Amino acid sequence: MVTSKGVGLAVPDWPTTFGYNMFLFPVSKWIGGVLFEHTHRLIASTVGFLTIILAIWLWRIEDRQSVKTLGLIAVAGVILQGILGGLRVTMLKDQIGIFHACLAQAFLGLIVLIAVVTTNFWRSFVPVDVDPGSVVPIKRLAVATTIAIYLQLALGATMRHQHKDLAILDFPTANGAWIPDTSVTALAKINGWRDARALSDVDAFQIWLQMAHRFLAVLIGIAVLAFCVRVLGEASHVNALRRLSISWVVLFLLQFTLGAWTIWSNKAADVATTHVAVGAIMLSFGVSAWAICSRVSQPSNG
C-alpha cells in the first residue's frame, strides 16, 4: 500500500519519525500517508523482533545444523531489509526500493522454508507408494517455476518503482495492438495522448518491461499447470503435494485475474496491493512445493 499510494516518503526521516523515537510517535499524528508509512515501519520492526526470537528458538531446540543456519540467515536478511528501507528514505533512490521489494520476497520464501522443515509432517514423513526417483523431475519443475515467479515479482517491483502510472493501459492488447509499436513516432503519439490526460510519459523500456511481465505470466501459468498434471499423474499419493498443486493452479488463475484488473483499474491501490500479495503467496507455494518434493525424493534424510 505504501508504494501503491505513493507515500513512501510521507515520513521524511529515518530511523526516527518526524524526530520522534519511532515507537513513541503520537497516534494522533497517524494520518494520511503517514499512517501507511509509519505502520509499515512498526510492522517491519515487529517482523525483525520475531525473526530474532525464531533464530534463538531454533538454536535452542533444533538438532539440525542446517535449520539453525537458516535462522541466522533470516536474521541477517531482516537486518539488511531494514537498512535498505531506511536508505530508500534517506537517499531517495528508486533502485533501492526495487532491491528492498525483492529482498522482502526472498525473506518471505526463507521463512516459509523454515516453517515447512519444522512441521510435524516433515519430521514424521514416511515413504508412500511413490518412486522417489520419479519425483526428481517434478522437483526440478517446482524449482524452475519458483525461480520464474521470483523473477516475475522482481519485474513487478521494477515496474512499480520505475514510474507512477502504468506504461500500458489496456489488456489483453497493448496500446491497441498485440505487439506494441515503440518506434519514435509511436512513442510521441502515445505520450501526446498521455499528456492530455495528465499521465506520466513512458519510454520503450517501460513498455517492454510490462510486456515481459505479461509474457512471463503466461509461462508461469503453463509451468504451474504442468506441475499439477505431473503431481496428479506420478505423485498423487502424496496428499500434501496433491493439494498444493491444485491450489497453486487456482491461485494462478486468481493472480492472472488480479493482474488484468490492476490494468483495467489503472493500478488502483487496493487491487495492485492484492496482486502483489497473491504473488507472494504463489512464491510461498513454490518454495513449499520444492521443499516437499525434496523430502519425498529423499525420505530418509530429515
Side-chain angles (χ1 to χ4, degrees):
M1 291 297 289
V2 169
T3 302
S4 295
K5 288 184 173 292
V7 296
L9 298 176
V11 180
D13 53 330
W14 182 88
T16 54
T17 299
F18 293 105
Y20 287 87
N21 179 302
M22 182 194 309
F23 304 103
L24 300 178
F25 185 61
V27 177
S28 61
K29 297 181 182 291
W30 297 19
I31 56 176
V34 175
L35 170 65
F36 293 98
E37 172 61 9
H38 182 62
T39 304
H40 180 59
R41 295 185 181 190
L42 293 180
I43 293 174
S45 299
T46 302
V47 171
F49 182 63
L50 292 174
T51 303
I52 293 172
I53 293 176
L54 174 63
I56 294 172
W57 202 336
L58 290 174
W59 272 85
R60 286 179 59 87
I61 69 171
E62 268 292 337
D63 55 0
R64 294 169 293 176
Q65 183 60 43
S66 59
V67 179
K68 293 180 179 181
T69 303
L70 289 178
L72 293 180
I73 295 174
V75 172
V78 81
I79 291 173
L80 178 59
Q81 177 71 347
I83 293 172
L84 285 175
L87 291 177
R88 170 65 182 91
V89 174
T90 59
M91 296 183 67
L92 306 177
K93 295 287 188 180
D94 286 337
Q95 294 85 348
I96 296 177
I98 296 171
F99 285 114
H100 184 56
C102 293
L103 181 58
Q105 300 289 358
F107 175 78
L108 174 63
L110 176 59
I111 294 299
V112 168
L113 178 60
I114 292 174
V116 171
V117 300
T118 52
T119 57
N120 290 332
F121 161 81
W122 188 274
R123 286 186 172 277
S124 62
F125 178 82
V126 293
V128 291
D129 189 18
V130 175
D131 176 14
S134 68
V135 181
V136 173
I138 300 177
K139 174 185 171 181
R140 290 173 181 162
L141 182 56
V143 172
T145 306
T146 303
I147 292 173
I149 292 173
Y150 186 79
L151 292 175
Q152 180 76 326
L153 290 168
L155 283 175
T158 304
M159 288 164 52
R160 287 161 64 84
H161 289 86
Q162 273 269 328
H163 47 88
K164 66 177 182 178
D165 302 311
L166 289 169
I168 303 173
L169 296 168
D170 54 328
F171 181 83
T173 53
N175 295 324
W178 293 108
I179 302 297
D181 183 358
T182 54
S183 63
V184 174
T185 302
L187 284 174
K189 182 178 179 180
I190 290 170
N191 286 324
W193 182 90
R194 294 174 69 94
D195 291 343
R197 291 159 179 80
L199 298 171
S200 59
D201 286 354
V202 295
D203 55 31
F205 173 78
Q206 292 168 340
I207 290 175
W208 284 108
L209 185 67
Q210 188 166 332
M211 288 302 297
H213 192 65
R214 295 185 183 191
F215 290 144
L216 189 53
V218 174
L219 294 178
I220 289 171
I222 295 172
V224 169
L225 182 60
F227 177 81
C228 183
V229 171
R230 291 293 297 269
V231 168
L232 294 180
E234 300 174 32
S236 60
H237 294 307
V238 184
N239 292 331
L241 268 183
R242 185 182 69 252
R243 291 194 298 266
L244 188 148
S245 65
I246 295 173
S247 299
W248 212 8
V249 172
V250 174
L251 199 63
F252 169 77
L253 295 175
L254 172 61
Q255 178 69 340
F256 193 85
T257 301
L258 285 169
W261 192 4
T262 298
I263 296 171
W264 294 331
S265 67
N266 194 20
K267 204 166 68 173
D270 53 348
V271 180
T273 301
T274 305
H275 184 53
V276 174
V278 174
I281 298 172
M282 285 201 66
L283 179 69
S284 300
F285 274 41
V287 172
S288 301
W290 161 72
I292 295 171
C293 286
S294 297
R295 191 72 178 98
V296 174
S297 61
Q298 295 179 324
S300 62
N301 181 12

